[in-house]
Amino acid sequence: MPERAKLEQTLSSLTQEEMLGPAVVGEWIVKDVLAHLADWEAHMLTWVAAGRSGDPVEHPDPGLTWKQLENFNQRIYEAHRDQPLEEVLAYFHTIHEQFMAMVEDMADEELLTSGVYPFLARAAYMAGWGNMLITIVGAIPTFLKRPKPGTSPEERMMTRI
């Protein structure tokens, strides 16, 4: 099963409360991870559109270099942290549909020729990190079933049943 399908399957099994806490990646909750993944796809849409039209591509974001990814990721987090879960989920699904449509419409030369979009080499590397985040999100049900710190051995035994 492709990673995205695993992610979608995991998301469908989570409650709203589980998506809003506890943190699953550093301080990020599931909602934050989904916004992060969607925003990277949204940036790819922008970068490719600019590349196709011959416009300069400011990547990863205006005023930032690839060496400043922490700042870039922080910008993404801040842009979405106060959004309601429903908005983030809609953004996550809509952007992915747009992203997949863009990829499916690309000619083989555009997809497979090295150097067509210079930023894609770095973005492809970062996609590896995206897959890692998808894997982490896929592990959320197991994470949520873990006994909380301070639970007795008897309580821990009951969580395994």
Side-chain angles (χ1 to χ4, degrees):
M1 177 182 295
E3 292 301 314
R4 182 66 184 216
K6 289 178 192 175
L7 174 59
E8 294 289 350
Q9 185 177 33
T10 297
L11 293 176
S12 69
S13 72
L14 297 177
T15 66
Q16 187 173 27
E17 291 76 25
E18 290 168 332
M19 288 190 191
L20 294 173
V24 293
V25 177
E27 296 180 25
W28 292 3
I29 60 177
V30 173
K31 180 191 85 152
D32 301 329
V33 173
L34 298 178
H36 179 83
L37 293 171
D39 220 79
W40 267 92
E41 287 184 340
H43 275 80
M44 286 294 294
L45 290 167
T46 302
W47 297 334
V48 169
R52 284 177 171 166
S53 66
D55 294 335
V57 179
E58 291 199 57
H59 49 65
D61 216 23
L64 295 179
T65 68
W66 287 113
K67 292 180 180 181
Q68 296 169 304
L69 282 177
E70 279 189 38
N71 299 26
F72 178 56
N73 290 332
Q74 186 64 28
R75 283 184 185 180
I76 292 171
Y77 171 75
E78 290 172 7
H80 299 283
R81 73 174 163 206
D82 295 327
Q83 276 184 303
L85 175 62
E86 296 76 22
E87 284 182 24
V88 169
L89 287 171
Y91 177 64
F92 175 76
H93 292 293
T94 301
I95 290 297
H96 186 67
E97 288 172 13
Q98 293 171 9
F99 179 80
M100 292 308 296
M102 176 194 70
V103 171
E104 289 167 6
D105 288 344
M106 287 179 150
D108 287 348
E109 296 78 30
E110 190 176 12
L111 276 172
L112 304 173
T113 305
S114 178
V116 170
Y117 300 116
F119 56 83
L120 283 182
R122 177 59 86 156
Y125 169 76
M126 295 314 300
W129 286 101
N131 284 333
M132 181 187 74
L133 287 173
I134 288 171
T135 302
I136 290 168
V137 172
I140 289 169
T142 303
F143 176 82
L144 293 172
K145 290 180 183 173
R146 290 186 323 180
K148 305 289 184 260
T151 56
S152 70
E154 294 81 17
E155 291 172 312
R156 287 183 188 176
M157 182 66 77
M158 293 305 291
T159 62
R160 294 183 186 143
I161 297 175

mmCIF file with all atom_site columns, all heavy atoms in Angstrom, residues 42 45 93-103:
data_model
loop_
_atom_site.group_PDB
_atom_site.id
_atom_site.type_symbol
_atom_site.label_atom_id
_atom_site.label_alt_id
_atom_site.label_comp_id
_atom_site.label_asym_id
_atom_site.label_entity_id
_atom_site.label_seq_id
_atom_site.pdbx_PDB_ins_code
_atom_site.Cartn_x
_atom_site.Cartn_y
_atom_site.Cartn_z
_atom_site.occupancy
_atom_site.B_iso_or_equiv
_atom_site.pdbx_formal_charge
_atom_site.auth_seq_id
_atom_site.auth_comp_id
_atom_site.auth_asym_id
_atom_site.auth_atom_id
_atom_site.pdbx_PDB_model_num
ATOM 1   N N   . ALA A 1 42  ? 1.922  22.623 -1.561  1.00 0.00 ? 42  ALA A N   1
ATOM 2   C CA  . ALA A 1 42  ? 1.483  23.920 -2.092  1.00 0.00 ? 42  ALA A CA  1
ATOM 3   C C   . ALA A 1 42  ? 2.686  24.707 -2.630  1.00 0.00 ? 42  ALA A C   1
ATOM 4   O O   . ALA A 1 42  ? 2.597  25.348 -3.680  1.00 0.00 ? 42  ALA A O   1
ATOM 5   C CB  . ALA A 1 42  ? 0.755  24.723 -1.014  1.00 0.00 ? 42  ALA A CB  1
ATOM 6   N N   . LEU A 1 45  ? 3.674  23.368 -5.978  1.00 0.00 ? 45  LEU A N   1
ATOM 7   C CA  . LEU A 1 45  ? 2.789  23.885 -7.027  1.00 0.00 ? 45  LEU A CA  1
ATOM 8   C C   . LEU A 1 45  ? 3.250  25.272 -7.483  1.00 0.00 ? 45  LEU A C   1
ATOM 9   O O   . LEU A 1 45  ? 3.322  25.552 -8.682  1.00 0.00 ? 45  LEU A O   1
ATOM 10  C CB  . LEU A 1 45  ? 1.345  23.956 -6.519  1.00 0.00 ? 45  LEU A CB  1
ATOM 11  C CG  . LEU A 1 45  ? 0.631  22.633 -6.293  1.00 0.00 ? 45  LEU A CG  1
ATOM 12  C CD1 . LEU A 1 45  ? -0.655 22.845 -5.489  1.00 0.00 ? 45  LEU A CD1 1
ATOM 13  C CD2 . LEU A 1 45  ? 0.321  21.948 -7.613  1.00 0.00 ? 45  LEU A CD2 1
ATOM 14  N N   . HIS A 1 93  ? -6.339 17.945 1.901   1.00 0.00 ? 93  HIS A N   1
ATOM 15  C CA  . HIS A 1 93  ? -6.907 17.140 0.809   1.00 0.00 ? 93  HIS A CA  1
ATOM 16  C C   . HIS A 1 93  ? -6.934 17.912 -0.514  1.00 0.00 ? 93  HIS A C   1
ATOM 17  O O   . HIS A 1 93  ? -6.591 17.358 -1.567  1.00 0.00 ? 93  HIS A O   1
ATOM 18  C CB  . HIS A 1 93  ? -8.305 16.643 1.186   1.00 0.00 ? 93  HIS A CB  1
ATOM 19  C CG  . HIS A 1 93  ? -8.277 15.638 2.295   1.00 0.00 ? 93  HIS A CG  1
ATOM 20  N ND1 . HIS A 1 93  ? -7.727 14.391 2.170   1.00 0.00 ? 93  HIS A ND1 1
ATOM 21  C CD2 . HIS A 1 93  ? -8.720 15.709 3.573   1.00 0.00 ? 93  HIS A CD2 1
ATOM 22  C CE1 . HIS A 1 93  ? -7.824 13.727 3.305   1.00 0.00 ? 93  HIS A CE1 1
ATOM 23  N NE2 . HIS A 1 93  ? -8.421 14.513 4.178   1.00 0.00 ? 93  HIS A NE2 1
ATOM 24  N N   . THR A 1 94  ? -7.311 19.177 -0.473  1.00 0.00 ? 94  THR A N   1
ATOM 25  C CA  . THR A 1 94  ? -7.406 19.989 -1.695  1.00 0.00 ? 94  THR A CA  1
ATOM 26  C C   . THR A 1 94  ? -6.041 20.174 -2.343  1.00 0.00 ? 94  THR A C   1
ATOM 27  O O   . THR A 1 94  ? -5.892 20.003 -3.562  1.00 0.00 ? 94  THR A O   1
ATOM 28  C CB  . THR A 1 94  ? -8.039 21.357 -1.378  1.00 0.00 ? 94  THR A CB  1
ATOM 29  O OG1 . THR A 1 94  ? -9.334 21.143 -0.832  1.00 0.00 ? 94  THR A OG1 1
ATOM 30  C CG2 . THR A 1 94  ? -8.129 22.229 -2.617  1.00 0.00 ? 94  THR A CG2 1
ATOM 31  N N   . ILE A 1 95  ? -5.055 20.525 -1.553  1.00 0.00 ? 95  ILE A N   1
ATOM 32  C CA  . ILE A 1 95  ? -3.715 20.749 -2.095  1.00 0.00 ? 95  ILE A CA  1
ATOM 33  C C   . ILE A 1 95  ? -3.161 19.451 -2.671  1.00 0.00 ? 95  ILE A C   1
ATOM 34  O O   . ILE A 1 95  ? -2.543 19.445 -3.739  1.00 0.00 ? 95  ILE A O   1
ATOM 35  C CB  . ILE A 1 95  ? -2.766 21.329 -1.024  1.00 0.00 ? 95  ILE A CB  1
ATOM 36  C CG1 . ILE A 1 95  ? -3.160 22.763 -0.684  1.00 0.00 ? 95  ILE A CG1 1
ATOM 37  C CG2 . ILE A 1 95  ? -1.304 21.245 -1.463  1.00 0.00 ? 95  ILE A CG2 1
ATOM 38  C CD1 . ILE A 1 95  ? -3.046 23.752 -1.829  1.00 0.00 ? 95  ILE A CD1 1
ATOM 39  N N   . HIS A 1 96  ? -3.402 18.336 -1.999  1.00 0.00 ? 96  HIS A N   1
ATOM 40  C CA  . HIS A 1 96  ? -2.885 17.065 -2.511  1.00 0.00 ? 96  HIS A CA  1
ATOM 41  C C   . HIS A 1 96  ? -3.531 16.729 -3.862  1.00 0.00 ? 96  HIS A C   1
ATOM 42  O O   . HIS A 1 96  ? -2.841 16.263 -4.778  1.00 0.00 ? 96  HIS A O   1
ATOM 43  C CB  . HIS A 1 96  ? -3.095 15.933 -1.515  1.00 0.00 ? 96  HIS A CB  1
ATOM 44  C CG  . HIS A 1 96  ? -2.448 14.660 -1.953  1.00 0.00 ? 96  HIS A CG  1
ATOM 45  N ND1 . HIS A 1 96  ? -1.088 14.510 -2.031  1.00 0.00 ? 96  HIS A ND1 1
ATOM 46  C CD2 . HIS A 1 96  ? -2.979 13.488 -2.383  1.00 0.00 ? 96  HIS A CD2 1
ATOM 47  C CE1 . HIS A 1 96  ? -0.796 13.301 -2.473  1.00 0.00 ? 96  HIS A CE1 1
ATOM 48  N NE2 . HIS A 1 96  ? -1.928 12.657 -2.702  1.00 0.00 ? 96  HIS A NE2 1
ATOM 49  N N   . GLU A 1 97  ? -4.813 16.975 -3.987  1.00 0.00 ? 97  GLU A N   1
ATOM 50  C CA  . GLU A 1 97  ? -5.480 16.735 -5.274  1.00 0.00 ? 97  GLU A CA  1
ATOM 51  C C   . GLU A 1 97  ? -4.864 17.605 -6.368  1.00 0.00 ? 97  GLU A C   1
ATOM 52  O O   . GLU A 1 97  ? -4.604 17.135 -7.478  1.00 0.00 ? 97  GLU A O   1
ATOM 53  C CB  . GLU A 1 97  ? -6.976 17.018 -5.158  1.00 0.00 ? 97  GLU A CB  1
ATOM 54  C CG  . GLU A 1 97  ? -7.738 15.981 -4.358  1.00 0.00 ? 97  GLU A CG  1
ATOM 55  C CD  . GLU A 1 97  ? -9.190 16.383 -4.105  1.00 0.00 ? 97  GLU A CD  1
ATOM 56  O OE1 . GLU A 1 97  ? -9.686 17.342 -4.742  1.00 0.00 ? 97  GLU A OE1 1
ATOM 57  O OE2 . GLU A 1 97  ? -9.820 15.735 -3.252  1.00 0.00 ? 97  GLU A OE2 1
ATOM 58  N N   . GLN A 1 98  ? -4.615 18.873 -6.047  1.00 0.00 ? 98  GLN A N   1
ATOM 59  C CA  . GLN A 1 98  ? -3.998 19.780 -7.024  1.00 0.00 ? 98  GLN A CA  1
ATOM 60  C C   . GLN A 1 98  ? -2.583 19.337 -7.372  1.00 0.00 ? 98  GLN A C   1
ATOM 61  O O   . GLN A 1 98  ? -2.162 19.363 -8.542  1.00 0.00 ? 98  GLN A O   1
ATOM 62  C CB  . GLN A 1 98  ? -3.984 21.210 -6.486  1.00 0.00 ? 98  GLN A CB  1
ATOM 63  C CG  . GLN A 1 98  ? -5.349 21.827 -6.344  1.00 0.00 ? 98  GLN A CG  1
ATOM 64  C CD  . GLN A 1 98  ? -5.308 23.166 -5.608  1.00 0.00 ? 98  GLN A CD  1
ATOM 65  O OE1 . GLN A 1 98  ? -4.253 23.722 -5.349  1.00 0.00 ? 98  GLN A OE1 1
ATOM 66  N NE2 . GLN A 1 98  ? -6.478 23.677 -5.272  1.00 0.00 ? 98  GLN A NE2 1
ATOM 67  N N   . PHE A 1 99  ? -1.838 18.910 -6.354  1.00 0.00 ? 99  PHE A N   1
ATOM 68  C CA  . PHE A 1 99  ? -0.476 18.452 -6.553  1.00 0.00 ? 99  PHE A CA  1
ATOM 69  C C   . PHE A 1 99  ? -0.442 17.221 -7.460  1.00 0.00 ? 99  PHE A C   1
ATOM 70  O O   . PHE A 1 99  ? 0.340  17.147 -8.411  1.00 0.00 ? 99  PHE A O   1
ATOM 71  C CB  . PHE A 1 99  ? 0.178  18.152 -5.198  1.00 0.00 ? 99  PHE A CB  1
ATOM 72  C CG  . PHE A 1 99  ? 1.580  17.642 -5.299  1.00 0.00 ? 99  PHE A CG  1
ATOM 73  C CD1 . PHE A 1 99  ? 2.634  18.506 -5.506  1.00 0.00 ? 99  PHE A CD1 1
ATOM 74  C CD2 . PHE A 1 99  ? 1.845  16.281 -5.189  1.00 0.00 ? 99  PHE A CD2 1
ATOM 75  C CE1 . PHE A 1 99  ? 3.933  18.033 -5.604  1.00 0.00 ? 99  PHE A CE1 1
ATOM 76  C CE2 . PHE A 1 99  ? 3.133  15.801 -5.285  1.00 0.00 ? 99  PHE A CE2 1
ATOM 77  C CZ  . PHE A 1 99  ? 4.187  16.676 -5.495  1.00 0.00 ? 99  PHE A CZ  1
ATOM 78  N N   . MET A 1 100 ? -1.305 16.254 -7.173  1.00 0.00 ? 100 MET A N   1
ATOM 79  C CA  . MET A 1 100 ? -1.346 15.037 -7.979  1.00 0.00 ? 100 MET A CA  1
ATOM 80  C C   . MET A 1 100 ? -1.786 15.339 -9.409  1.00 0.00 ? 100 MET A C   1
ATOM 81  O O   . MET A 1 100 ? -1.257 14.752 -10.358 1.00 0.00 ? 100 MET A O   1
ATOM 82  C CB  . MET A 1 100 ? -2.237 13.984 -7.332  1.00 0.00 ? 100 MET A CB  1
ATOM 83  C CG  . MET A 1 100 ? -1.682 13.427 -6.018  1.00 0.00 ? 100 MET A CG  1
ATOM 84  S SD  . MET A 1 100 ? 0.032  12.824 -6.125  1.00 0.00 ? 100 MET A SD  1
ATOM 85  C CE  . MET A 1 100 ? -0.163 11.463 -7.271  1.00 0.00 ? 100 MET A CE  1
ATOM 86  N N   . ALA A 1 101 ? -2.721 16.240 -9.585  1.00 0.00 ? 101 ALA A N   1
ATOM 87  C CA  . ALA A 1 101 ? -3.157 16.627 -10.930 1.00 0.00 ? 101 ALA A CA  1
ATOM 88  C C   . ALA A 1 101 ? -1.991 17.240 -11.703 1.00 0.00 ? 101 ALA A C   1
ATOM 89  O O   . ALA A 1 101 ? -1.794 16.956 -12.893 1.00 0.00 ? 101 ALA A O   1
ATOM 90  C CB  . ALA A 1 101 ? -4.329 17.597 -10.855 1.00 0.00 ? 101 ALA A CB  1
ATOM 91  N N   . MET A 1 102 ? -1.198 18.078 -11.022 1.00 0.00 ? 102 MET A N   1
ATOM 92  C CA  . MET A 1 102 ? -0.035 18.682 -11.674 1.00 0.00 ? 102 MET A CA  1
ATOM 93  C C   . MET A 1 102 ? 0.946  17.599 -12.118 1.00 0.00 ? 102 MET A C   1
ATOM 94  O O   . MET A 1 102 ? 1.405  17.592 -13.262 1.00 0.00 ? 102 MET A O   1
ATOM 95  C CB  . MET A 1 102 ? 0.674  19.650 -10.729 1.00 0.00 ? 102 MET A CB  1
ATOM 96  C CG  . MET A 1 102 ? 1.959  20.236 -11.308 1.00 0.00 ? 102 MET A CG  1
ATOM 97  S SD  . MET A 1 102 ? 3.012  21.052 -10.084 1.00 0.00 ? 102 MET A SD  1
ATOM 98  C CE  . MET A 1 102 ? 3.599  19.663 -9.116  1.00 0.00 ? 102 MET A CE  1
ATOM 99  N N   . VAL A 1 103 ? 1.249  16.670 -11.224 1.00 0.00 ? 103 VAL A N   1
ATOM 100 C CA  . VAL A 1 103 ? 2.211  15.614 -11.540 1.00 0.00 ? 103 VAL A CA  1
ATOM 101 C C   . VAL A 1 103 ? 1.688  14.741 -12.678 1.00 0.00 ? 103 VAL A C   1
ATOM 102 O O   . VAL A 1 103 ? 2.421  14.408 -13.613 1.00 0.00 ? 103 VAL A O   1
ATOM 103 C CB  . VAL A 1 103 ? 2.520  14.763 -10.289 1.00 0.00 ? 103 VAL A CB  1
ATOM 104 C CG1 . VAL A 1 103 ? 3.344  13.533 -10.640 1.00 0.00 ? 103 VAL A CG1 1
ATOM 105 C CG2 . VAL A 1 103 ? 3.245  15.611 -9.238  1.00 0.00 ? 103 VAL A CG2 1
#
